[in-house]
Amino acid sequence: FDILEQRLSQALLTNTHALKTRAMRASSRLNPANLRQRITHEHQRTQTTFARLNRALHTSIVAHRATLDSQSKLLNSLGYRNVLSRGYAIVRNGKGQMIRQASAVSANEVMDIEFADGHIPATASARAHGNTPSSQSPSAGTRTKSGKPRGKATGSSGQGSLF
């Protein structure tokens, strides 16, 4: 029993000495001056990181805004309203479906014509009859062998051919 008491006594002294040494090392690190210095250093590091993050975020927003602006311009240039502003119109039937060909229109069909500045209702007076206008004479639009357009034949217009 005495041997165990001696060993226990020695173990307690050794353990106490080890804990005292650890406490001394920890207390040197817990010096208020060292803690203030470390807090100051970490604060500066945090501010630097925040500034870098803020610059990166701003750069990213500017780049995305530029991309969005260019895509918006492209959408506006390709949009049908821009085409209407150049003088074209969209014709729709009574159901709101687009009419793409004159042959798709029947007599007395109600239509809606959309221009750049608004809509007007319209009614077809007759069905279309082909692609050639009836006012064009058969000789108009023909060309000579050299590729030049031919004049009208002498007739009611009063002016004959110059060649």
Side-chain angles (χ1 to χ4, degrees), residues 19-59:
L19 289 174
K20 185 177 179 182
T21 305
R22 280 182 59 193
M24 292 288 277
R25 286 184 192 154
S27 69
S28 69
R29 288 185 306 218
L30 295 176
N31 182 355
N34 288 343
L35 290 175
R36 279 190 214 101
Q37 184 181 12
R38 185 167 178 184
I39 289 171
T40 303
H41 174 72
E42 293 300 326
H43 180 66
Q44 289 173 348
R45 199 170 138 215
T46 303
Q47 283 182 331
T48 303
T49 304
F50 179 75
R52 288 176 58 205
L53 179 62
N54 198 14
R55 283 192 304 271
L57 182 61
H58 182 268
T59 302

Side-chain angles (χ1 to χ4, degrees), residues 16 19 39 45 70 83 94 96 108 145:
T16 305
L19 289 174
I39 289 171
R45 199 170 138 215
S70 68
V83 174
N108 298 321
K145 287 183 182 180

Side-chain angles (χ1 to χ4, degrees), residues 91 99-107 109 111 124 126-131:
V91 181
I99 300 174
R100 300 180 196 286
Q101 298 174 342
S103 61
V105 178
S106 58
E109 183 173 356
M111 299 176 287
R127 187 170 173 87
H129 298 289
N131 292 335

